[in-house]
Amino acid sequence: MNKQFIIGSLAALWLVPAPLSAQSPAVLTVDSLFALVESGNADLRRAVAAVGVADAGVQAARSRRLPDVSVSLQATYNGNVLMTDRDFGNATGLSQPHFGNSFILEARQTVYAGGGIDAGVRLAEVQRRQAGADVEQTRAARRLMAVALYLDIYKADNGIRVYESNIELARRLLDDIKARLAEGMAISNDVTRYELQLETLRLRLRTLRDRRAVLNHRLCTALGLDGRTLVPDSAVVLAAYARGTEAGWQERAAASSPVLRRSALGIEAAGEQLRIARSAMRPEVDVFAANNFSGPFTYDIPPVDKNFNVWFVGMGIRYSLSSLFKANKDVRRAKAAVELSRESHAVAAETLGDDVQEAYTDYMRTYADLATRQKNVELAAANYGVMTDRYKGQLALVTDMIDAANARLDAELSAADARADIAYAYYRMLYLAGEI
């Protein structure tokens, strides 16, 4: 067995994509992945629908600025009039017109409501912006989740290829051991141990294929797809990602994070709630106009069978005295809510800063891990080659061969995951910065 060939082929194994089946499913790029999240993710569709509700809320709040107009139209049958003395004596019946009609048109416009109407409009607009921030946050979270599943599938695919390669090498070595056993140069226990090793590899391969199927199903669910086989594009792990500095990432997160934007909008919303609470302690001024066209005139004796029309305009002021001992409680509660929202924003900023620092540290570590794991692949492959030669020369036990094979397998699996870890760490940084 050529050691240089082993080292070269195993070091490159996890970088070369291979089809999982003869059907060769279409490769899914990251851009296509994000497009599918946009169109198929149920949580994102719900968040977008909430924006529509918030838009309707803005229109409803603005409609409070419009005048209240009412129209009343009635037709009646009027009975005759009965008149009596105060002691109900001397009852006298009077005839009156039996058909009655009434048409009333009234309009009322609030010209001052203590600022409550305008504050209600601003509150609805803030809530709409909050809904927009929720969409951005949901989109970022679902994209990161999809990327995590996407890269886990990539890791599983690489692991499957590594296991398949190791199974093939183990099978060949087992054939060699069996041949040596037939020549009397090995013992049957060597065959048994390597058969056990081969079955263990096959079991792990089946387990990994099952995990791959589970990950594929979860990603399909997240994307709103049917049960098709998704194959990640190797370009996502081969790309060169910008590292930047921690301070730079902190600035980007502070400027673009939807989490911070959402909490800042919470302060604005609490401020508008406070203005609405204060408006209840102020008078309300209305202007109004009305027109009443009705008949007959029944307030005369005998009733006058004619239509009459009355109109008027005026201005009124209302003030609720109970607001002096009721609304002040709402004002104190609203003030406390403003302070709470400010503290919540400060906590969100601190948490985001800690998350960015931790994520950046992890991001930088993935590059060091990659270099170490690549070196481990080379060393483990060289060690396996040496042990193979020593075993063939009867200078090593089969247990040494198994240990070398396991060490090589672990190194290959770790190397297969290294670049995927870099890609995930980068997308996590974008998520925290609000740029994914």
Side-chain angles (χ1 to χ4, degrees):
M1 188 177 297
N2 188 299
K3 289 186 289 184
Q4 287 76 15
F5 173 76
I6 292 175
I7 295 173
S9 60
L10 293 178
L13 178 64
W14 54 279
L15 290 177
V16 180
L20 296 178
S21 67
Q23 297 178 349
S24 297
V27 174
L28 180 67
T29 65
V30 173
D31 289 340
S32 298
L33 178 74
F34 288 165
L36 289 172
V37 169
E38 197 72 24
S39 62
N41 186 264
D43 285 344
L44 186 54
R45 290 199 305 270
R46 176 198 55 79
V48 172
V51 174
V53 175
D55 283 333
V58 172
Q59 299 303 319
R62 289 174 177 172
S63 68
R64 292 191 59 197
R65 292 170 171 168
L66 302 176
D68 295 323
V69 180
S70 61
V71 176
S72 174
L73 178 63
Q74 292 182 342
T76 61
Y77 178 85
N78 303 320
N80 291 327
V81 178
L82 176 65
M83 296 183 62
T84 68
D85 292 341
R86 297 291 291 173
D87 60 359
F88 302 103
N90 297 322
T92 303
L94 298 175
S95 178
Q96 73 165 343
H98 294 300
F99 175 74
N101 59 274
S102 174
F103 175 77
I104 301 174
L105 175 63
E106 183 176 3
R108 182 178 296 273
Q109 173 69 59
T110 300
V111 295
Y112 178 74
I117 294 177
D118 290 339
V121 172
R122 291 192 298 269
L123 175 61
E125 292 172 343
V126 170
Q127 290 172 340
R128 180 177 60 183
R129 287 153 56 197
Q130 286 178 322
D134 287 340
V135 170
E136 295 179 16
Q137 176 64 17
T138 302
R139 177 183 290 112
R142 294 307 147 198
R143 284 184 172 184
L144 182 65
M145 181 194 70
V147 165
L149 291 170
Y150 182 87
L151 292 172
D152 282 344
I153 292 174
Y154 181 87
K155 290 180 181 181
D157 289 346
N158 277 301
I160 289 171
R161 289 191 284 273
V162 169
Y163 272 112
E164 288 175 343
S165 176
N166 277 271
I167 287 173
E168 178 61 22
L169 291 175
R171 187 187 62 78
R172 292 178 182 178
L173 184 58
L174 181 59
D175 291 341
D176 181 70
I177 295 174
K178 288 180 179 179
R180 296 179 64 191
L181 177 63
E183 297 173 358
M185 299 175 63
I187 60 176
S188 59
N189 192 48
D190 291 346
V191 175
T192 301
R193 289 186 176 183
Y194 234 83
E195 285 179 341
L196 178 61
Q197 173 75 357
L198 187 58
E199 289 303 317
T200 300
L201 291 176
R202 288 170 177 166
L203 176 60
R204 291 177 179 175
L205 176 59
R206 286 197 299 270
T207 301
L208 189 55
R209 283 174 173 164
D210 290 341
R211 172 168 171 74
R212 205 264 186 216
V214 171
L215 293 170
N216 188 87
H217 184 273
R218 289 182 178 177
L219 184 55
C220 285
T221 300
L223 301 179
L225 301 175
D226 53 12
R228 69 186 68 177
T229 300
L230 304 176
V231 179
D233 185 3
S234 61
V236 70
V237 299
L238 298 176
Y241 296 108
R243 302 191 189 189
T245 63
E246 180 184 339
W249 283 106
Q250 292 282 9
E251 292 177 1
R252 291 163 68 175
S256 303
S257 172
V259 175
L260 286 188
R261 189 156 56 253
R262 181 69 169 77
S263 63
L265 289 171
I267 299 176
E268 290 188 38
E272 298 303 335
Q273 291 281 13
L274 176 59
R275 293 182 181 90
I276 292 173
R278 285 172 173 168
S279 69
M281 302 182 67
R282 296 167 182 160
E284 182 175 327
V285 179
D286 298 334
V287 294
F288 53 86
N291 187 82
N292 188 339
F293 179 83
S294 60
F297 187 80
T298 58
Y299 300 98
D300 197 1
I301 300 177
V304 179
D305 189 15
K306 291 185 178 181
N307 295 317
F308 67 97
N309 187 79
V310 176
W311 65 268
F312 58 88
V313 296
M315 175 179 290
I317 183 171
R318 293 193 300 269
Y319 182 75
S320 175
L321 295 176
S322 61
S323 66
L324 296 175
F325 54 86
K326 286 184 177 181
N328 59 340
K329 310 297 191 303
D330 293 332
V331 171
R332 285 201 294 269
R333 182 179 62 181
K335 287 181 178 178
V338 170
E339 185 62 27
L340 176 61
S341 62
R342 288 173 179 165
E343 293 296 335
S344 298
H345 181 66
V347 170
E350 291 177 358
T351 301
L352 180 63
D354 291 342
D355 291 344
V356 171
Q357 190 276 334
E358 179 184 0
Y360 184 78
T361 301
D362 292 341
Y363 183 36
M364 293 299 100
R365 188 181 64 246
T366 58
Y367 284 99
D369 289 347
L370 174 61
T372 300
R373 293 177 185 181
Q374 286 176 329
K375 186 63 177 179
N376 287 344
V377 169
E378 297 178 8
L379 295 176
N383 179 63
Y384 181 78
V386 170
M387 284 300 165
T388 300
D389 292 340
R390 288 173 61 86
Y391 180 77
K392 289 180 179 181
Q394 297 184 334
L395 299 176
L397 300 174
V398 72
T399 53
D400 297 327
M401 283 290 301
I402 293 174
D403 290 341
N406 288 334
R408 185 194 62 187
L409 178 61
D410 291 340
E412 292 167 0
L413 291 174
S414 296
D417 295 346
R419 284 193 178 275
D421 290 341
I422 291 176
Y424 176 75
Y426 175 73
Y427 279 105
R428 184 185 175 199
M429 294 301 303
L430 291 181
Y431 166 74
L432 292 173
E435 298 176 3
I436 191 172

